Amino acid sequence: MKYFIPALLFIFLFSGSCKAGTVKELNNGIAAGKIISDINKGKAVLIKDKIITGDLDFTNVKNQGIFSSSIQIAGVEQSVTFLNCIFMGKIVNNSEKSGRQARVRFGSNLTFEACDFRADADFDNITVDGMVNFTGAIFRERALFNNVTFNGRHNYFTAFTAEKYFSMQESLIDGAIDFFKAKTRGKLSFQSTEFRGIARFHNLDCDGRSEFSLTRFRDDALFTYANFTGHFNFSDAIVYGRLDMNNVEFQSSATLTSTIFSGPVTFEKTSVKGVFDISRSVFYSGKPAMQEFRTLKADDFVSEGTKFASFNDLNKD
């Protein structure tokens, strides 16, 4: 009997500590539906250090407007801010409602800083009127930003990591955008996207194929110290500003064919381990700077049909 009371006390304390730990874990989580409910109440979203359970579907907000017979717009007017959160479910910004395709417009800033996405992050077709911030984000599955419109002055994808696939195709980026020190382990695609502000890809590290074909850079495109392991495709593009590819490492071939370069171009100290093809491209500011540019073989540099000009030459009779 003298051992019964201490044993009972031990069981009570142990069970209490387990219960406290369970409560702590539950308090660290928040259901995705609760976030949508708060948005419907007009509350700004500011969530830090939480685990988001369930699919976060922004098309479920109550603010809905009919755009056409086939499209309706779900409007989120307040700022949306997630800091250091884990999303266990999908991020959804596209769905079908009443026979129409539902898309989402964010009327203020959109932030997912240092967030960990464990499932698909689908931001296709969104419009953001404020600034966008995905600094330090980790995408474990697909990261989809196709056909997006970013209207803010600054947009940050600094040091994000995409473990499978990152796509920002056919999009319009009205302000500056920053991909400094971003890492992608699968295919990276910006095909047919228009960048109206400075686009910074400094120290970008891409293990898969990189697709920049049909892009339009209205300002500078900066790739200093970037590394591309797979094939790099920059064909049929237009760069109105400066193209800076100093100290870039191309581990495979690079294709920059049929592209128009209006501003100065630099390939200084850049190395290519495959074919570097700039055939049929036009350089309106003269020949690019290529000090210490390296290929494995001399004939790996292809420039058939390439034209080098300057604005002074174009003004001559």
Side-chain angles (χ1 to χ4, degrees):
M1 184 68 182
K2 63 180 179 179
Y3 298 107
F4 178 76
I5 294 178
L8 185 63
L9 181 61
F10 173 79
I11 294 172
F12 174 77
L13 291 175
F14 181 78
S15 62
S17 63
C18 289
K19 184 177 180 181
T22 303
V23 171
K24 184 178 180 180
E25 291 177 5
L26 291 175
N27 287 340
N28 196 43
I30 182 171
K34 172 67 165 54
I35 298 170
I36 300 301
S37 177
D38 287 344
I39 291 174
N40 289 337
K41 295 174 183 178
K43 297 179 180 179
V45 177
L46 177 55
I47 299 175
K48 181 179 181 182
D49 300 327
K50 294 293 184 181
I51 299 173
I52 316 302
T53 58
D55 294 344
L56 180 56
D57 189 346
F58 288 103
T59 68
N60 285 333
V61 298
K62 68 179 182 181
N63 182 13
Q64 302 280 337
I66 305 300
F67 176 74
S68 67
S69 59
S70 59
I71 298 175
Q72 68 185 60
I73 306 297
V76 180
E77 300 302 328
Q78 58 270 56
S79 61
V80 174
T81 305
F82 293 95
L83 304 173
N84 195 38
C85 291
I86 298 174
F87 294 86
M88 303 303 296
K90 297 178 181 179
I91 305 295
V92 180
N93 286 280
N94 299 273
S95 66
E96 184 173 337
K97 296 183 181 298
S98 303
R100 300 185 185 90
Q101 293 296 316
R103 301 178 178 180
V104 182
R105 182 185 68 84
F106 295 91
S108 188
N109 297 334
L110 181 66
T111 296
F112 288 84
E113 183 177 308
C115 288
D116 187 338
F117 300 91
R118 301 294 176 87
D120 284 353
D122 182 0
F123 291 90
D124 283 354
N125 303 308
I126 67 170
T127 297
V128 185
D129 291 334
M131 294 187 292
V132 174
N133 183 10
F134 281 83
T135 296
I138 300 175
F139 300 98
R140 309 284 183 178
E141 299 294 333
R142 297 183 304 165
L144 305 176
F145 292 85
N146 301 306
N147 196 36
V148 302
T149 301
F150 293 162
N151 293 318
R153 292 183 59 188
H154 298 283
N155 305 282
Y156 299 97
F157 286 78
T158 310
F160 84 84
T161 299
E163 296 185 351
K164 292 191 175 179
Y165 177 69
F166 183 94
S167 180
M168 191 179 284
Q169 298 181 163
E170 299 180 341
S171 296
L172 175 60
I173 314 301
D174 199 47
I177 192 164
D178 195 333
F179 295 94
F180 175 64
K181 286 191 174 181
K183 294 182 179 180
T184 60
R185 296 292 171 254
K187 182 179 178 181
L188 171 70
S189 182
F190 293 96
Q191 188 176 59
S192 299
T193 286
E194 180 172 338
F195 299 91
R196 292 184 177 176
I198 296 175
R200 297 181 177 89
F201 298 92
H202 300 301
N203 297 87
L204 173 66
D205 185 5
C206 182
D207 275 354
R209 178 183 175 90
S210 304
E211 187 65 64
F212 288 85
S213 62
L214 299 169
T215 50
R216 298 292 183 268
F217 292 90
R218 301 287 176 179
D219 208 312
D220 296 341
L222 309 175
F223 289 85
T224 304
Y225 292 103
N227 177 70
F228 299 98
T229 301
H231 179 69
F232 177 83
N233 187 15
F234 204 90
S235 60
D236 298 292
I238 299 177
V239 183
Y240 292 93
R242 185 171 92 254
L243 177 68
D244 188 346
M245 287 191 172
N246 291 342
N247 294 280
V248 174
E249 297 283 340
F250 294 105
Q251 307 297 335
S252 184
S253 298
T255 304
L256 294 85
T257 58
S258 302
T259 292
I260 296 174
F261 301 98
S262 295
V265 177
T266 58
F267 298 120
E268 295 182 358
K269 298 183 180 180
T270 284
S271 67
V272 187
K273 294 182 179 178
V275 174
F276 190 79
D277 190 352
I278 60 170
S279 59
R280 301 182 304 281
S281 291
V282 180
F283 293 78
Y284 280 111
S285 292
K287 292 184 178 181
M290 302 188 70
Q291 289 82 354
E292 299 185 50
F293 176 87
R294 304 179 302 278
T295 57
L296 295 179
K297 298 178 296 183
D299 57 2
D300 282 343
F301 182 79
V302 181
S303 59
E304 183 180 357
T306 298
K307 297 179 180 180
F308 304 100
S310 70
F311 289 111
N312 290 334
D313 294 333
L314 297 177
N315 289 330
K316 290 180 180 180
D317 293 333

